[in-house]
Amino acid sequence: MEIEKEVKKMTLGHEFGAGASCLKCKDKCEGFELHFWRKICRNCKCGLAEHNVQMNSEENKKVGKLFEDTKYTGLIAKLKTDGVPVYRGNAVTITLGGPATAQTVLPGTAHTVLPASVTATVPHTTAATAAGSVPSAAASGSTASVPSAAASGGTASVPSTATSGATALGGGVRPRPAGVAPVKANAPSVSVNTTAANVVLVANETPLKSVTYEWAPPVANKYVAVRYIELLPPEKRPVAGTEGAAYRRQQMARQLPEHDQDPTKCHELSPAEVKQMQQFVRKYKDEALGIGDVRLPEEMVLIQAAAGQGGPGAAGAAGPGAVGVKGAAGVAGSTSVGAAVGTTAGAMGAPGAPQQSFSCRHCNQPMRVGDPAVYAERAGYDKLWHPACFVCCTCNELLVDMIYFWKRGKLYCGRHYGDSEKPRCGGCDELIFCNEYTQAEGQNWHLKHFCCFDCDLVLAGETYVMEQDKPVCTPCYMKNYAAKCSGCGGAVEPEAQRVSYGEHHWHAAPECFKCSGCAKVLMGQRFMAAQGRLFCSVECKKNTPA
């Protein structure tokens, strides 16, 4: 009875996604059927990410498990049924345009849209900042504003992560009604000179535009969130129903393999291996795991000044920075920063101070004024990246949902951080925690997993052929991969000599490589080929029936 229950449990586990069509192989795949331990489809050899399987709930559980017992628990929720941590993500619908909005155009940059008639403040040092954390305007009840005086050379206050005079509602942001006085923080504000900016009111008839994103950076200001997404390559923007959303889902599966963090998702680990893996996971959660923080570089300087940490030499100062998100959905939230950003010749925007330039850590190109940047707490807030440059140093792909692993001055995705720490099995794709494993063809393998990619025959002591970086036994190679001889019609053995011309192949033998007209052996002779047939001369070709 116990055995029957276990078999039933394993069978049900492998029914997940069963029959789903392959997006890569199309009709060539009969439908998804999970291999017992390879984590690929038995039918087409593609992974689950290449099949039309909606994995949102499973992926959310995986990332929830990753953030469990870390400082990022604000990004997860516990299911009421079994207490499983689930990643809440930040799927939102954002509506822009309409009345009561203003357009702030910074010279030489794309425009940033901000709601009008509200006031932004940046608090000076408080009890929170003294502890190494600077609360956002959203957290302190502040609201943001660009007064009309800015157009005539006045000054405007800039928020730390301003809610732009709006309140979160249903995943979006609603402008504050006219006539309602803004609620200011109890601390004085830090002003920024905006004489270089033009503030232009948008006509009341501006059409509303709503866009649903499967994920957006969890910042309080929806306009900063939208601008961040606009700075990504078009094919990688997580707009629902587009190739960008599909790209995000595929990268979620590839960059954060669940079998890199959960021993129960691995195949037959020993108790010692389970313990080693648990220690490995605990170590990278404590020392490497992080989530990017989207900020305006100019704003970071103000936060530093407000926290009383300004001045040269503050760059890279250690601090207990943290990221917290309030609300299960929407861009509304708060971000606290505990590390400092260095300045040159005073804070950005201070009257009479020169404009400070900011350069991307990845491409070394300057940041455009008014564009958001991505910061990584573990790297220190003296470093920043363009949104499109916040990528893994190995695969050069966007770090999905800005989830990164920091090691020796480099950003990694979860998969390639694991590869930098442990060997990965070329068969089951799992990290190897046992002492004995084999190396072959430039890859690492569990001893029991160095087997034929088609029939799972263990290849120890056997002859095999590498086909597309996968080992295949000789019988499977002859059946599925071997070239067909255009002379005799038989398969060409992997060790046999052959002659190839274009897409056609022949055994390098007199009985196969000969003239189709007069049967003259063509080994070492001049020949001509037509439609897979060999001829010794033009005359033979003319005299041979088609």
Side-chain angles (χ1 to χ4, degrees):
M1 182 63 71
E2 293 292 336
I3 295 177
E4 290 179 0
K5 287 182 179 179
E6 185 64 25
V7 170
K8 183 176 180 181
K9 180 179 179 181
M10 289 189 296
T11 303
L12 291 175
H14 279 65
E15 287 177 356
F16 181 77
S21 59
C22 182
L23 303 174
K24 182 178 179 181
C25 300
K26 307 296 183 182
D27 295 336
K28 294 180 181 179
C29 176
E30 298 176 2
F32 185 75
E33 181 184 352
L34 184 63
H35 186 279
F36 184 64
W37 52 266
R38 285 192 190 273
K39 303 171 184 66
I40 59 172
C41 175
R42 284 182 180 272
N43 295 320
C44 67
K45 312 302 183 185
C46 294
L48 189 62
E50 282 74 44
H51 287 76
N52 189 24
V53 179
Q54 298 300 319
M55 293 190 62
N56 290 344
S57 60
E58 293 300 315
E59 292 293 344
N60 289 343
K61 291 179 183 178
K62 175 185 72 176
V63 182
K65 181 81 173 175
L66 177 65
F67 291 156
E68 190 176 29
D69 301 324
T70 70
K71 66 170 64 179
Y72 306 110
T73 52
L75 295 170
I76 63 177
K78 293 288 184 77
L79 291 179
K80 293 182 180 179
T81 52
D82 50 14
V84 174
V86 176
Y87 176 49
R88 294 187 299 192
N90 199 32
V92 294
T93 297
I94 299 178
T95 302
L96 297 178
T101 61
Q103 190 169 273
T104 302
V105 184
L106 297 169
T109 72
H111 70 269
T112 301
V113 182
L114 295 172
S117 68
V118 283
T119 301
T121 61
V122 175
H124 280 289
T125 305
T126 63
T129 60
S133 174
V134 180
S136 67
S140 63
S142 308
T143 56
S145 150
V146 179
S148 58
S152 60
T155 60
S157 299
V158 175
S160 61
T161 52
T163 57
S164 303
T167 56
L169 183 62
V173 180
R174 173 178 296 176
R176 178 178 53 78
V180 178
V183 180
K184 296 185 179 180
N186 293 327
S189 63
V190 178
S191 296
V192 177
N193 193 320
T194 59
T195 55
N198 296 317
V199 179
V200 183
L201 290 179
V202 178
N204 288 345
E205 61 271 14
T206 302
L208 295 174
K209 180 182 178 182
S210 295
V211 180
T212 299
Y213 302 98
E214 291 199 354
W215 176 85
V219 295
N221 190 325
K222 66 177 180 178
Y223 302 94
V224 172
V226 171
R227 183 59 183 152
Y228 164 90
I229 294 173
E230 288 177 346
L231 292 171
L232 301 179
E235 70 278 8
K236 297 181 179 180
R237 296 170 187 167
V239 178
T242 67
E243 63 175 323
Y247 168 80
R248 174 183 172 265
R249 290 193 295 270
Q250 290 178 346
Q251 292 303 311
M252 182 69 75
R254 174 156 181 80
Q255 293 186 17
L256 302 171
E258 60 182 352
H259 46 271
D260 279 13
Q261 58 167 304
D262 189 350
T264 66
K265 304 298 182 182
C266 298
H267 181 64
E268 296 182 351
L269 293 184
S270 68
E273 290 173 298
V274 170
K275 184 176 181 180
Q276 287 186 46
M277 183 173 184
Q278 290 173 338
Q279 292 172 343
F280 171 75
V281 172
R282 184 69 265 163
K283 183 174 183 290
Y284 73 59
K285 284 187 177 184
D286 291 341
E287 299 178 4
L289 176 65
I291 302 175
D293 188 7
V294 174
R295 293 275 189 170
L296 297 175
E298 301 89 342
E299 174 190 43
M300 286 297 294
V301 175
L302 292 177
I303 293 174
Q304 176 195 18
Q309 296 175 327
V323 176
V325 177
K326 297 182 179 179
V331 291
S334 63
T335 308
S336 56
V337 179
V341 178
T343 62
T344 57
M348 174 70 178
Q355 293 264 327
Q356 181 179 352
S357 61
F358 304 91
S359 297
C360 173
R361 168 88 173 184
H362 179 74
C363 68
N364 295 320
Q365 296 301 308
M367 302 293 300
R368 296 199 305 178
V369 177
D371 279 351
V374 184
Y375 294 83
E377 179 193 347
R378 292 193 184 275
Y381 284 91
D382 58 323
K383 304 174 185 66
L384 69 164
W385 289 261
H386 291 110
C389 291
F390 199 63
V391 298
C392 171
C393 67
T394 301
C395 63
N396 209 38
E397 295 290 349
L398 284 178
L399 292 165
V400 64
D401 291 11
M402 300 190 300
I403 300 171
Y404 70 87
F405 292 75
W406 180 257
K407 178 182 175 182
R408 296 176 184 172
K410 294 182 179 180
L411 293 168
Y412 290 86
C413 67
R415 168 176 291 276
H416 292 114
Y417 173 82
D419 290 349
S420 73
E421 290 284 312
K422 298 287 182 180
R424 187 181 296 275
C425 178
C428 67
D429 196 50
E430 296 172 13
L431 298 176
I432 300 175
F433 291 94
C434 58
N435 294 326
E436 294 184 355
Y437 60 94
T438 187
Q439 292 181 319
E441 307 298 335
Q443 298 185 67
N444 304 294
W445 313 78
H446 286 112
L447 296 177
K448 58 187 177 184
H449 290 165
F450 187 63
C451 49
C452 176
F453 193 63
D454 283 12
C455 70
D456 291 340
L457 172 72
V458 176
L459 295 174
E462 300 287 340
T463 301
Y464 65 89
V465 181
M466 291 302 292
E467 184 65 30
Q468 297 180 353
D469 295 328
K470 303 295 182 183
V472 179
C473 68
T474 301
C476 284
Y477 174 83
M478 294 296 292
K479 177 182 177 182
N480 302 321
Y481 304 101
K484 302 296 181 183
C485 176
S486 296
C488 68
V492 181
E493 297 81 359
E495 67 275 6
Q497 291 186 334
R498 68 181 179 184
V499 179
S500 298
Y501 184 81
E503 297 180 353
H504 300 283
H505 311 274
W506 296 265
H507 286 103
E511 60 271 23
C512 293
F513 198 68
K514 60 185 180 180
C515 178
S516 297
C518 65
K520 176 183 177 180
V521 176
L522 297 176
M523 299 293 297
Q525 304 294 318
R526 297 183 65 181
F527 68 91
M528 62 183 300
Q531 297 178 342
R533 303 173 71 188
L534 298 172
F535 299 98
C536 62
S537 64
V538 175
E539 289 75 15
C540 255
K541 181 179 182 299
K542 289 181 179 179
N543 297 329
T544 303

